[in-house]
Amino acid sequence: MRSSLRLGRIFGIPISVHLTFLLFIVFLGMVYAFHGGPKAALAGVSFILALFVSVTIHELGHSLVARRFGVKVNGIILLPIGGVSQMDDMPEQPGREFLIAVAGPATSVVLGLVLGIASLLLYGPAATFKTTVTAGLFLPNLARVNLLLAIFNLLPGFPMDGGRIFRAALAHAMPFDRATAIAASVGRVFAIGLGMVGLFFNIWLTFIAVFIYFGASSEANRVKIKTTLHDVPVSRVMAATFQTLSPDDRVSLAVEHAYHGFQEDFPVVADDKVVGVLMKPDILAALHEHGTGALVSRVMRTEFTTVTADQTLEQVYAAIQTCGCTSLPVLDSGRIVGLVTLEALGRYLVYAGAGSGANRT
Ligand code: ZN
């Protein structure tokens, strides 16, 4: 994500902060300064930074448990409404998803209790239980905020932990995609309710509700795509008739092929082996920089991903997302036998999705 700033690594996990989080800190700093002057602003901002550390620890709770289950953790990103652990693929075993989801709030509760006990020992019960967040002592406030963080994350909607915990609980009794659909619907209904309550009481709640509403939709979509593509072999949608280029061809030939057919990505083949790929953006860049006469070998990508016909469309989808490409050559014992495109995946999703709708009614 380019809209975020990398801070460093903890336990080998990259930590970054989303720019909106920085804006949030500036905004709160200004609010504090407006109400209490520079001293209050300093206290306020240092409190927010402590909160930021708390959120990081919460996310580390998720990430470390996930890593124990062999899930690759790509990083932790901090947003104004909380953190997100970016993981490769969450396990679809409900028990594991449950533990990973619970780990965050559990970490926050432990941290809140430890800070609370420290505050009791240092300041006594009167100061510790004073119920203001914007004024009062640093330590008891931080303890309270960590407990609030746990409660907030337990709200029952994606992408909050509560949504995942809810889905994991449902998934014990039904298939994963059905559990996701139900958890997403409940999350949406909850978000609409929270959004309306927010309009009357606190606009931040409405902001969070919008986040939960769209989070529900995107998680439901993600799982629907995964489930639809799960067991389908590449051979089902690959194009077996397609144009290839030779490294000695000119880019103008790719343009001609594009004019006369539907193909805009081309495998480059020499001696029966794929030696490169030339995709639409490469063709456009080559035309812009060198004109139509450029040699294919000069402008093709030499690092590319391939698949075999018996791999699944789910794997193709994941590969396409990581390589940032729009098609993959399909190989059989090293020789190219087909081409699978993002467009073909999209078509499959549309037709298969329409079909599954008919089955349900
Ligand atoms: Zn969490």
Side-chain angles (χ1 to χ4, degrees), residues 58-59 62 83 101 104-105 153 161:
H58 171 106
E59 289 307 319
H62 290 301
N153 273 286
D161 302 326

Coordinates of all heavy atoms in Angstrom, one line a residue, residues 58-59 62 83 101 104-105 153 161, ligand 1:
H58 N -2.0 -5.3 20.1 CA -3.2 -6.1 19.8 C -3.0 -6.9 18.5 O -3.3 -8.1 18.4 CB -4.4 -5.1 19.6 CG -5.6 -5.6 19.1 ND1 -6.7 -5.9 19.9 CD2 -6.0 -6.0 17.8 CE1 -7.7 -6.4 19.1 NE2 -7.3 -6.5 17.9
E59 N -2.5 -6.2 17.4 CA -2.3 -6.8 16.1 C -1.2 -7.9 16.2 O -1.3 -8.9 15.6 CB -1.9 -5.8 15.1 CG -3.1 -4.9 14.7 CD -4.3 -5.6 14.3 OE1 -4.2 -6.7 13.6 OE2 -5.4 -5.2 14.7
H62 N -2.7 -11.1 17.2 CA -3.3 -11.9 16.0 C -2.1 -12.5 15.2 O -2.2 -13.7 14.9 CB -4.0 -10.9 15.0 CG -5.3 -10.3 15.6 ND1 -6.3 -11.1 15.9 CD2 -5.7 -9.1 15.7 CE1 -7.3 -10.3 16.3 NE2 -7.0 -9.1 16.2
G83 N -6.0 -1.5 13.9 CA -5.0 -2.1 13.1 C -5.5 -3.2 12.2 O -6.5 -3.7 12.4
A101 N -8.5 -14.8 15.7 CA -9.4 -13.6 15.9 C -9.5 -13.2 17.4 O -9.5 -12.0 17.7 CB -10.8 -13.9 15.4
G104 N -6.3 -11.1 19.4 CA -6.2 -9.7 19.5 C -6.9 -9.1 20.7 O -6.3 -8.5 21.6
P105 N -8.2 -9.2 20.8 CA -8.9 -8.7 22.0 C -8.4 -9.3 23.3 O -8.3 -8.5 24.3 CB -10.4 -9.2 21.7 CG -10.5 -9.4 20.3 CD -9.2 -9.8 19.8
N153 N -13.3 -4.1 19.2 CA -12.9 -5.1 18.2 C -13.8 -6.3 18.2 O -13.8 -7.2 17.3 CB -11.5 -5.5 18.3 CG -10.6 -4.6 17.6 OD1 -10.5 -4.7 16.4 ND2 -9.9 -3.7 18.3
D161 N -12.7 -8.2 14.7 CA -12.5 -9.5 15.1 C -13.8 -10.2 15.5 O -13.9 -11.4 15.3 CB -11.6 -9.5 16.4 CG -10.3 -8.8 16.1 OD1 -9.8 -8.9 15.0 OD2 -9.8 -8.1 17.0
Ligands
ZN1 ZN -8.1 -7.4 16.2

